[in-house]
Amino acid sequence: TMTKGWVESSLCINGGVLFGGNNVLYFYNYKTQELERIHIHPENSNIQPINYRVQKILPFKENKLLIATRQKGFFTYDCQTREIKAFTPDYPRYLLFSACIASDGNIYASYYGNGVCRFDSNGQKTARYTVEKSPLNNNYVMDILEHEGKLWMGTDGGGITKMDLQTGEFSFLTH
């Protein structure tokens, strides 16, 4: 059972639903109606569980999901073996707010007050977008999604930023 559990994210998968909490995935099995806990980092270790909070769960490669944690980078989850492995060796030590796997095969992650990082499909950081180093107009990117080849980024005070994935050009929506 889950009592007083923090749930930040969810994803429907074959046979049930995954919920992301502090250092844990909860798998609710439709058939058995049971909730299973799957820890990202060993439960009895000396860690801060909030740093492993699962901010996003994303479909990734065949039978694998990408788990984006609050401050400990990305992990992969194998739906068949239920194994969790570290994915990003070089992740920013900032608070992750959102993540998106785009049609160009890259992973885009926003870090509160620190812009957006792009990772390739192997977990290597390949670019960083900030107000100081790119046309991004606000470093506080709260959410990211892709639609029709454009990355849409909702910011805290800067409106909506769009980045064309083919050209890298930025455009902005404000009110």
Side-chain angles (χ1 to χ4, degrees):
T1 65
M2 178 174 55
T3 59
K4 300 180 187 176
W6 181 280
V7 174
E8 183 76 20
S9 54
S10 61
L11 181 70
C12 291
I13 63 170
N14 190 24
V17 181
L18 277 174
F19 297 97
N22 288 340
N23 189 40
V24 68
L25 290 173
Y26 298 99
F27 175 65
Y28 179 77
N29 185 313
Y30 292 141
K31 191 180 236 181
T32 65
Q33 297 184 353
E34 292 179 355
L35 195 65
E36 176 187 352
R37 295 167 59 103
I38 305 159
H39 290 278
I40 294 168
H41 198 277
E43 186 176 22
N44 296 326
S45 59
N46 189 19
I47 63 160
Q48 295 290 327
I50 194 170
N51 292 336
Y52 288 87
R53 177 179 292 159
V54 179
Q55 299 290 102
K56 284 277 190 172
I57 307 169
L58 302 165
F60 189 41
K61 296 177 180 178
E62 188 176 330
N63 294 316
K64 290 195 176 170
L65 304 174
L66 193 64
I67 308 299
T69 65
R70 185 174 194 236
Q71 267 189 301
K72 295 298 182 179
F74 289 89
F75 293 81
T76 57
Y77 172 73
D78 188 309
C79 294
Q80 289 182 328
T81 65
R82 302 252 170 106
E83 186 175 43
I84 294 177
K85 292 182 180 176
F87 181 71
T88 46
D90 178 28
Y91 62 91
R93 303 306 196 260
Y94 308 120
L95 293 178
L96 183 136
F97 253 64
S98 190
C100 169
I101 301 173
S103 60
D104 64 2
N106 290 308
I107 301 156
Y108 295 85
S110 66
Y111 295 89
Y112 191 74
N114 291 284
V116 174
C117 287
R118 180 181 70 205
F119 299 90
D120 67 18
S121 62
N122 296 313
Q124 299 298 315
K125 185 169 58 174
T126 56
R128 182 159 177 229
Y129 305 96
T130 63
V131 168
E132 298 80 19
K133 298 179 181 182
S134 75
L136 187 67
N137 70 346
N138 191 302
N139 283 335
Y140 293 88
V141 177
M142 309 306 284
D143 202 10
I144 305 174
L145 66 83
E146 181 193 356
H147 180 68
E148 296 181 352
K150 291 185 177 39
L151 208 60
W152 293 67
M153 298 172 269
T155 68
D156 183 1
I160 298 167
T161 299
K162 293 191 301 181
M163 183 179 82
D164 188 296
L165 292 173
Q166 286 192 335
T167 66
E169 291 182 19
F170 283 73
S171 59
F172 309 96
L173 300 175
T174 57
H175 59 82

